[in-house]
C-alpha cells in the first residue's frame, strides 16, 4: 500500500462518514438504519490513518496493519452491513460501489480480493446475527450484483496492469541483463590490463639504475594498452547498440551522405568489439564488388554490429561457426554456419521483442536493423536452414548514373578545397606508379607542395626535416624495400618524426583490398585506397579521410613570390631542407629532386617551374650535364632559368656554369639575400633592389675578408635559421652527416684517395656553411682547393686540426640553438 495515498484516504474518510450521516436530517432520504456508532468508529479509524505523521515511533510499525483493518472495516464490512440493513436501496448500493472502488485503488488485486471478500462476508454474518430469518426485498437482489461485477472488473484491471508491469519489468531486466552480460567481458579485460601494466611498471620501478627500454618492450606495453582501449570500445559499443534499439522513431535522412559500402563494412568488421582473438578469427570479409550508397555510416555500422554479434552468439556451442561478410552488387551479406533459425520463427523475426532463442537477447535488434535499412531506401531479408546456415542480406537501392557522376564531381571539388595549401608526402618505391599517383594528386592539390620518397626510410627523413611546416597528408605504399609502409607508420605514431604523430596517412596499394585494409588499420593508417584508382576514387578517399578538418599548419603572410614555383635539385637532404625553408618563406612552391635524372623526369612529366636551383655536384648525373640535356629539350623547357648551387666560387667554376647553359650562380652556403636577388632578377619580383645582380653572392660586411682564423659561426646566418625555427631537428641530423663526411675523409687519407677526399671536403664545405659553421666551411673549401690540384694539404696534422675545428664548431652550434649533444651515429 502507498502510505501517502492512505493518509489522503484517511482524511477523506474522516470527513465523509460524518457528513453522509448528516444528510439523513435534510429530509431528502427515506428512513434509514441508524449506524451512528459504526460510523463513529469508522471516523476514528480514518482519522488515525490521516494522522500518520504524528504517530509515535513505536506505533509506526503497526500502521500498515491498521490501514488494512480500517480498509476492510470501512470500505467492505460497514458499507455491506448498512446496505443489507437498508434492504439494498440505491443510495446504500452506491456507497458500497464507492467502497469497492476505493479498495481497488488502495490495494493490489490479490489484497483487494481478500479485503472485499472478508468484508462482505463479515457484513453478511453480522446482518444475519442481528436479524435472523429476515427476508430481502427484490431491490436487494437487483442491486447487490453491481458491487460484485465492479469487484471482478477491478480485479481483472489490476491483473492486466500487473501483467503489463511485469512485462515492462522483464524488458528492463532484459536490457539490464544484456548490458551487464556484454560489459562483463570488457570489464574483466580492463581489470587484466591494469594488472599487467601495474606489474610491468613495478618491475621497471624496482630497477636501481636508469634503464633504457627496447622497442620490443615499448611495443609490448603499447599492445597491452590497446587491449584495454579495445575493451572500453566493446563496452561503449554494447551500450550504444542497446540504446539505439530502444528508439522506435523514424531516422532523419536529411543528413545522409554518399558512402563506399566496402570502406564502411571493412571499418565495421575491424572495429567490432571481439571478446577474444578466437572470435576475430571466425569473421572474414570478402569484397567482390564495391558500390556507393546514400546513408549514414554509424547506422550501417550498428546494423553490422547487430548481425555479427548475433552470428557469434552461438560460437561457444558451435566452435566451428564461421561468419562471412560479403560486399557485392548493391548488397552486403552476413552469413554464418551456425545452428540456423526454425521456420516458425522466421515470419516474425523482424518484429519488436522477437528473438530466435537467445536467452539474454532483447528482441529489438533485428527490428532496429529493418527500420534503419528502410531509411536507406533498402531492405533486410533472412534465409536460413536448420543445422546449416543463416544469411542476412542488406539490399541497397541502385544509384542513378547522373547521381553517381554528380557525387564524383563534388568529391573532387571537396578534395581540392581540403587540400588547398596542403603539404603532401607521396611514398612509393615503384617510379611508374608514383608518377601516376603524383599526377592525380597534382590535379587535386594544384600548386601545393608534393614531396616524394622511394621507401619508408626516406619518408622518415623528410618528415623529420619538415617539423617547421608539417605535412598535412601522407600517401603511403605498403610494401617497399628498406622500410615498408606499415613499419614506417608505426614509427611515426611512436614519435619517430616530431610533429607528425597524428598526420593522416592514406594507404595506397595494389594488394587485395580486404587484406591490405586490415594491415593498414593495424599499423595505424587512417584510410585505404586500391591502386590503380580513378581520380574520383582518390578524391573520395581523401574526403573520407580528412573530412572538413582544417590543415594542421598555419598559413604564413603573403610573400613576394607567391604563386611561383621552383624546382630545387640538391642531393644533400639537410642543405635541401634549409634552402627549401628560405623559398617557402618567400611564398614559392617547391618541387624537390635528389639528382639530375629526377629533374629531367619532372620536366618530361610536365612540371614547369619558374626557376631551377641546380646543385652542381650530384651523384649519377651532375648539375652541369643535367643543364646541357635540359637545353636540348623542347622549347617549353629549354628556356627555364637555371641557377647553379655550388661550394666553389672561382671564376673558372662560374665560367663552366655559364658554358653549360646556367643563368645564375650562388655559392654555398646559400645566402638568403643573394637568393632573393637571383629570384627577383629571373622571376621579375620588383620589391627587391635591382642592385642585387646576377651572380652576386654578397657576404655580410662583418665577414668580408674573414679567414679561417675568424669567428667560428656566421652569427647572421644562425639568427636567420633561428627565426625559421627549423634547426631543432635539422641540426642533429646535419652534425651526424658531418661526422660521416669526416670519417669518409679520414678513410680517404688512409687509402691515399684524393678523389674521395675532395668529395668529402666538398660536402663538408656546403653542409657546414648551410648550418652556419663559417670557419669549418672556409677551412673545408681551402683544403678542397688544394686536393683538387692533386696534392694533400701541406700543413702538418691538418686532419687533426680539422677534427678539432669540427668539435669546436659543433659545440658552438649546439649552444647557439640551445640543444644537447647527441652520441655520434
Amino acid at each position: 500500500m502507498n502510505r501517502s495515498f492512505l493518509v489522503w484516504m484517511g482524511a477523506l474518510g474522516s470527513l465523509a462518514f460524518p457528513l453522509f450521516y448528516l444528510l439523513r436530517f435534510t429530509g431528502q432520504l427515506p428512513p434509514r438504519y441508524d449506524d451512528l456508532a459504526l460510523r463513529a468508529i469508522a471516523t476514528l479509524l480514518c482519522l488515525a490513518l490521516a494522522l500518520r505523521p504524528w504517530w509515535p515511533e513505536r506505533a509506526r510499525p503497526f500502521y500498515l496493519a491498521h490501514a488494512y483493518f480500517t480498509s476492510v472495516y470501512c470500505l467492505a464490512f460497514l458499507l455491506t452491513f448498512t446496505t443489507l440493513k437498508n434492504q439494498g436501496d440505491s443510495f446504500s448500493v452506491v456507497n458500497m460501489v464507492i467502497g469497492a472502488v476505493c479498495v481497488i485503488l488502495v490495494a493490489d488485486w490479490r489484497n483487494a480480493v481478500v479485503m472485499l471478500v472478508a468484508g462482505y462476508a463479515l457484513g453478511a454474518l453480522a446482518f444475519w446475527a442481528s436479524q435472523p430469518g429476515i427476508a430481502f426485498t427484490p431491490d436487494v437482489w437487483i442491486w447487490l450484483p453491481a458491487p460484485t461485477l465492479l469487484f471482478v472488473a477491478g480485479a481483472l484491471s489490476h491483473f492486466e496492469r500487473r501483467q503489463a508491469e511485469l512485462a515492462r519489468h522483464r524488458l528492463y531486466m532484459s536490457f539490464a541483463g544484456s548490458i551487464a552480460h556484454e560489459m562483463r567481458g570488457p570489464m574483466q579485460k580492463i581489470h587484466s590490463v591494469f594488472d599487467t601494466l601495474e606489474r610491468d611498471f613495478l618491475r621497471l620501478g624496482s630497477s636501481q639504475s636508469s634503464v633504457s627500454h627496447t622497442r620490443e618492450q615499448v611495443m609490448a606495453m603499447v599492445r597491452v594498452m590497446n587491449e584495454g582501449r579495445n575493451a572500453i570500445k566493446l563496452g561503449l559499443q554494447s551500450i550504444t547498440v542497446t540504446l539505439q534499439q530502444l528508439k522506435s522513431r523514424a531516422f532523419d535522412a536529411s543528413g545522409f551522405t554518399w558512402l563506399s559500402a566496402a570502406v564502411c563494412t571493412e571499418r565495421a568488421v575491424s572495429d567490432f568489439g571481439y571478446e577474444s582473438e578466437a572470435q576475430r578469427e571466425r569473421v572474414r570479409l570478402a569484397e567482390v564488388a564495391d558500390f556507393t550508397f546514400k546513408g549514414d555510416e554509424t547506422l550501417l555500422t550498428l546494423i553490422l554490429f547487430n548481425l555479427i554479434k548475433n552470428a557469434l552468439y552461438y560460437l561457444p556451442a558451435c566452435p566451428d561457426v564461421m561468419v562471412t561478410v560479403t560486399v557485392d552488387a548493391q548488397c552486403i551479406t552476413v552469413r554464418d554456419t551456425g545452428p540456423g533459425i526454425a521456420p516458425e520463427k522466421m515470419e516474425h523475426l523482424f518484429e519488436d521483442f522477437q528473438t530466435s532463442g537467445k536467452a539474454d537477447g532483447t528482441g529489438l535488434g533485428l527490428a532496429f536493423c529493418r527500420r534503419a535499412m528502410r531509411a536507406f531506401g533498402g531492405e533486410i531479408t533472412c534465409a536460413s536452414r536448420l543445422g546449416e546456415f543463416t544469411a542476412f542480406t542488406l539490399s541497397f537501392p541502385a544509384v542513378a548514373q547522373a547521381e553517381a557522376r554528380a557525387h564524383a564531381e563534388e568529391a573532387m571539388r571537396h578534395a581540392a578545397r581540403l587540400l588547398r595549401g596542403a603539404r603532401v608526402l607521396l611514398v612509393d618505391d615503384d617510379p611508374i606508379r608514383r608518377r601516376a599517383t603524383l599526377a592525380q594528386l597534382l590535379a587535386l592539390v594544384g600548386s601545393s607542395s608534393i614531396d616524394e620518397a622511394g621507401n619508408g626510410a626516406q619518408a622518415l627523413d623528410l618528415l623529420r626535416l619538415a617539423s617547421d611546416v608539417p605535412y598535412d597528408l601522407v600517401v603511403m605504399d605498403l610494401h617497399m624495400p628498406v622500410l615498408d609502409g606499415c613499419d614506417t607508420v608505426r614509427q611515426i605514431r611512436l614519435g619517430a618524426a616530431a610533429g607528425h604523430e597524428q598526420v593522416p596517412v592514406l594507404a595506397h596499394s595494389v594488394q587485395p583490398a580486404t587484406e591490405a585494409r586490415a594491415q593498414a588499420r593495424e599499423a595505424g593508417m587512417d584510410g585505404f585506397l586500391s591502386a590503380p584508382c580513378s581520380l574520383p576514387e582518390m578524391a573520395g578517399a581523401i574526403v573520407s579521410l580528412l573530412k572538413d578538418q582544417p590543415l594542421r599548419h598555419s598559413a604564413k603572410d603573403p610573400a613576394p613570390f607567391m604563386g611561383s614555383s621552383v624546382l630545387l635539385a640538391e642531393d644533400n637532404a639537410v642543405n635541401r631542407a634549409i634552402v627549401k625553408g628560405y623559398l617557402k618563406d618567400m611564398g614559392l612552391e617547391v618541387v624537390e629532386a635528389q639528382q639530375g635524372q629526377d629533374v629531367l623526369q619532372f620536366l618530361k612529366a610536365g612540371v614547369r617551374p619558374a626557376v631551377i636551383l641546380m646543385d652542381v655536384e650530384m651523384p649519377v648525373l651532375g648539375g652541369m650535364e643535367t643543364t646541357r640535356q635540359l637545353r636540348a629539350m623542347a622549347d617549353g623547357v629549354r628556356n627555364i632559368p637555371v641557377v647553379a648551387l655550388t661550394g666553389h666560387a672561382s671564376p673558372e667554376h662560374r665560367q663552366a656554369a655559364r658554358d653549360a647553359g646556367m643563368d645564375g650562380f650562388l655559392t654555398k652556403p646559400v645566402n638568403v639575400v643573394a637568393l632573393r636577388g637571383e629570384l627577383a632578377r629571373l622571376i621579375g619580383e620588383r620589391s627587391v633592389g635591382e642592385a642585387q645582380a646576377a651572380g652576386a653572392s654578397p657576404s655580410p660586411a662583418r665577414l668580408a675578408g674573414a679567414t679561417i682564423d675568424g669567428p667560428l659561426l656566421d652569427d647572421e646566418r644562425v639568427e636567420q635559421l633561428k627565426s625559421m625555427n627549423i634547426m631543432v631537428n635539422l641540426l642533429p641530423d646535419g652534425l651526424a652527416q658531418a661526422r660521416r663526411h669526416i670519417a669518409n675523409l679520414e678513410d680517404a687519407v688512409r687509402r691515399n684517395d684524393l678523389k674521395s677526399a675532395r668529395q668529402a671536403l666538398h660536402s663538408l664545405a656546403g653542409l657546414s656553411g648551410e648550418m652556419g659553421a663559417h670557419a669549418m666551411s672556409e677551412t673545408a673549401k681551402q683544403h678542397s682547393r688544394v686536393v683538387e690540384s692533386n696534392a694533400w694539404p701541406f700543413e702538418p696534422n691538418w686532419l687533426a686540426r680539422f677534427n678539432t675545428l669540427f668539435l669546436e664548431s659543433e659545440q658552438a652550434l649546439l649552444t647557439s640553438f640551445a640543444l644537447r649533444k647527441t652520441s655520434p651515429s
Side-chain angles (χ1 to χ4, degrees):
M1 293 184 179
N2 188 305
R3 288 176 172 81
S4 298
F5 186 70
L6 289 173
V7 169
W8 286 106
M9 288 291 292
L12 180 64
S14 62
L15 295 174
F17 279 110
L19 287 176
F20 276 102
Y21 182 80
L22 294 175
L23 285 177
R24 66 187 61 197
F25 299 108
T26 63
Q28 301 298 319
L29 297 177
R32 306 183 59 74
Y33 168 71
D34 188 0
D35 55 358
L36 177 61
L38 296 175
R39 283 181 178 269
I41 295 173
T43 301
L44 292 174
L45 290 173
C46 288
L47 185 62
L49 206 62
L51 296 176
R52 177 184 175 277
W54 292 274
W55 275 44
E57 196 66 35
R58 289 183 180 180
R60 288 192 177 187
F62 304 102
Y63 181 79
L64 286 180
H66 172 76
Y68 205 98
F69 175 77
T70 300
S71 300
V72 172
Y73 176 83
C74 297
L75 302 177
F77 165 76
L78 175 58
L79 298 179
T80 301
F81 180 76
T82 56
T83 298
L84 293 174
K85 281 290 189 180
N86 293 318
Q87 290 293 302
D89 68 315
S90 59
F91 187 81
S92 298
V93 171
V94 168
N95 284 342
M96 191 174 175
V97 170
I98 292 174
V101 171
C102 290
V103 170
I104 293 171
L105 290 175
V106 167
D108 61 69
W109 72 274
R110 292 183 182 88
N111 281 310
V113 169
V114 173
M115 293 166 70
L116 291 175
V117 169
Y120 291 166
L122 289 172
L125 288 174
F127 174 75
W128 286 108
S130 64
Q131 291 180 262
I134 193 169
F136 292 112
T137 64
D139 289 345
V140 173
W141 303 111
I142 294 173
W143 289 106
L144 281 181
T148 305
L149 291 175
L150 179 64
F151 158 68
V152 173
L156 290 176
S157 174
H158 261 293
F159 179 77
E160 290 296 328
R161 189 165 65 249
R162 180 60 178 169
Q163 289 299 106
E165 289 175 356
L166 289 173
R168 190 161 52 249
H169 177 72
R170 282 194 295 269
L171 176 61
Y172 292 150
M173 290 297 292
S174 175
F175 274 110
S178 175
I179 293 177
H181 173 78
E182 297 295 341
M183 291 295 289
R184 186 187 301 114
M187 291 299 103
Q188 290 173 344
K189 171 61 72 176
I190 294 170
H191 187 274
S192 174
V193 165
F194 277 112
D195 284 346
T196 303
L197 289 175
E198 180 184 37
R199 186 168 57 251
D200 289 344
F201 283 122
L202 286 174
R203 185 171 62 250
L204 296 176
S206 65
S207 176
Q208 298 301 314
S209 61
S210 178
V211 180
S212 61
H213 311 302
T214 65
R215 182 174 182 273
E216 289 72 19
Q217 290 174 322
V218 174
M219 291 303 295
M221 296 183 73
V222 170
R223 282 193 294 271
V224 172
M225 288 187 286
N226 283 337
E227 288 179 3
R229 181 171 59 186
N230 290 336
I232 294 172
K233 179 178 69 176
L234 171 59
L236 293 175
Q237 170 189 306
S238 301
I239 293 172
T240 301
V241 170
T242 305
L243 293 177
Q244 284 289 343
Q245 291 171 1
L246 284 170
K247 297 180 179 179
S248 58
R249 63 179 182 272
F251 299 102
D252 181 12
S254 62
F256 287 176
T257 58
W258 293 101
L259 300 167
S260 161
V263 170
C264 294
T265 304
E266 186 274 330
R267 285 177 182 162
V269 172
S270 177
D271 288 345
F272 182 81
Y274 300 95
E275 293 183 2
S276 64
E277 195 60 34
Q279 272 198 354
R280 183 183 293 274
E281 291 173 355
R282 289 288 155 182
V283 180
R284 295 176 180 172
L285 177 63
E287 182 183 326
V288 179
D290 191 13
F291 62 89
T292 300
F293 71 98
K294 196 169 187 178
D296 180 85
E297 183 172 0
T298 300
L299 275 183
L300 178 60
T301 299
L302 293 176
I303 293 172
L304 293 172
F305 280 178
N306 266 295
L307 300 180
I308 295 171
K309 175 184 171 185
N310 289 344
L312 292 174
Y313 175 84
Y314 299 101
L315 184 59
C318 307
D320 295 329
V321 167
M322 290 301 303
V323 183
T324 304
V325 184
T326 305
V327 181
D328 183 20
Q330 300 301 129
C331 291
I332 301 174
T333 302
V334 181
R335 188 181 193 276
D336 68 77
T337 57
I341 301 174
E344 61 270 17
K345 294 183 178 293
M346 293 288 288
E347 183 179 355
H348 304 288
L349 195 60
F350 295 102
E351 297 176 3
D352 286 338
F353 308 112
Q354 297 295 321
T355 71
S356 57
K358 297 194 298 296
D360 55 353
T362 62
L364 294 175
L366 291 178
F368 163 81
C369 293
R370 184 171 65 176
R371 291 199 310 275
M373 282 304 301
R374 288 179 176 176
F376 294 160
E379 190 55 84
I380 178 173
T381 56
C382 178
S384 183
R385 189 174 300 151
L386 279 176
E388 294 186 23
F389 75 92
T390 299
F392 287 92
T393 300
L394 311 176
S395 303
F396 295 81
V399 180
Q401 288 298 318
E403 283 187 281
R405 188 162 49 251
H407 166 59
E409 292 172 356
E410 174 56 29
M412 288 188 285
R413 287 193 294 270
H414 195 175
R417 288 194 297 271
L418 289 175
L419 291 173
R420 187 178 297 124
R423 289 197 70 190
V424 180
L425 176 59
L426 171 60
V427 190
D428 197 322
D429 65 308
D430 187 321
I432 297 176
R433 189 169 62 238
R434 191 167 70 240
R435 287 290 179 266
T437 306
L438 177 63
Q440 290 178 321
L441 286 171
L442 284 171
L444 294 173
V445 180
S447 61
S448 295
S449 176
I450 303 178
D451 298 327
E452 299 177 64
N455 56 59
Q458 294 178 9
L460 285 176
D461 288 340
L462 290 171
L463 289 165
R464 292 188 186 106
L465 295 172
S467 60
D468 56 330
V469 183
Y471 287 100
D472 299 286
L473 173 67
V474 177
V475 181
M476 180 80 69
D477 187 20
L478 294 183
H479 290 288
M480 296 178 290
V482 186
L483 187 65
D484 69 18
C486 291
D487 284 338
T488 301
V489 174
R490 291 189 187 98
Q491 292 193 33
I492 292 172
R493 298 306 185 216
L494 289 173
H500 289 91
E501 291 83 356
Q502 303 299 324
V503 63
V505 179
L506 177 64
H508 191 39
S509 176
V510 295
Q511 279 184 263
T514 301
E515 175 187 349
R517 277 198 185 95
Q519 290 180 5
R521 288 180 66 81
E522 188 276 331
M525 300 188 193
D526 304 282
F528 174 82
L529 178 64
S530 292
C533 66
S534 66
L535 185 59
E537 287 174 330
M538 174 169 285
I542 291 173
V543 170
S544 177
L545 182 66
L546 299 181
K547 303 297 183 186
D548 290 310
Q549 300 175 5
L551 298 180
R552 301 188 317 136
H553 69 265
S554 57
K556 298 184 179 181
D557 293 334
F561 302 104
M562 185 67 71
S564 298
S565 63
V566 170
L567 176 53
L568 173 61
E570 167 65 72
D571 63 306
N572 185 286
V574 173
N575 293 353
R576 191 168 65 247
I578 292 174
V579 176
K580 181 179 179 180
Y582 292 153
L583 296 170
K584 297 289 284 185
D585 280 344
M586 297 177 194
L588 287 154
E589 299 296 339
V590 183
V591 179
E592 298 178 64
Q594 298 182 26
Q595 55 173 310
Q597 191 61 42
D598 292 336
V599 173
L600 298 177
Q601 289 178 354
F602 274 120
L603 296 174
K604 291 175 181 177
V607 175
R608 295 294 181 269
V611 175
I612 299 175
L613 299 181
M614 185 87 72
D615 185 19
V616 171
E617 296 194 25
M618 294 183 291
V620 184
L621 191 65
M624 300 285 194
E625 182 57 30
T626 302
T627 305
R628 293 188 188 97
Q629 293 190 31
L630 181 156
R631 295 308 181 206
M633 295 174 71
D635 290 340
V637 176
R638 67 172 64 175
N639 295 322
I640 296 175
V642 178
V643 177
L645 301 178
T646 178
H648 305 289
S650 67
E652 293 80 8
H653 284 94
R654 290 178 182 273
Q655 186 59 49
R658 283 193 291 269
D659 293 343
M662 295 183 171
D663 305 273
F665 194 96
L666 291 173
T667 56
K668 297 181 180 180
V670 174
N671 181 275
V672 67
V673 177
L675 175 61
R676 180 185 285 260
E678 281 295 273
L679 295 173
R681 181 177 65 87
L682 296 171
I683 297 177
E685 194 268 322
R686 284 286 168 259
S687 66
V688 181
E690 294 294 342
Q692 297 167 338
S697 301
S699 298
R702 178 183 50 79
L703 291 176
T707 68
I708 62 173
D709 295 324
L712 277 176
L713 305 182
D714 180 345
D715 295 333
E716 185 170 321
R717 186 172 191 82
V718 168
E719 289 303 315
Q720 289 173 350
L721 294 173
K722 283 183 178 179
S723 67
M724 293 166 60
N725 194 30
I726 66 174
M727 294 303 288
V728 173
N729 292 310
L730 279 181
L731 185 59
D733 289 340
L735 292 173
Q737 287 187 35
R739 294 188 196 105
R740 289 195 292 271
H741 291 322
I742 291 175
N744 293 337
L745 177 61
E746 292 172 339
D747 182 65
V749 171
R750 282 194 300 270
R751 294 185 289 105
N752 197 33
D753 184 350
L754 287 166
K755 181 179 179 181
S756 297
R758 186 185 70 82
Q759 182 60 48
L761 286 166
H762 175 76
S763 298
L764 275 168
L767 177 62
S768 56
E770 294 293 355
M771 293 188 296
H774 167 73
M776 191 167 71
S777 176
E778 292 300 314
T779 302
K781 289 179 183 179
Q782 185 183 83
H783 292 333
S784 179
R785 285 193 289 270
V786 175
V787 172
E788 283 179 354
S789 64
N790 292 321
W792 292 106
F794 55 86
E795 300 95 341
N797 300 321
W798 69 272
L799 191 56
R801 289 183 60 196
F802 191 83
N803 270 288
T804 301
L805 180 59
F806 167 75
L807 293 175
E808 293 172 352
S809 301
E810 179 186 47
Q811 187 57 53
L813 286 169
L814 291 171
T815 301
S816 295
F817 290 101
L819 299 175
R820 291 181 298 177
K821 188 173 182 178
T822 58
S823 58
S825 57

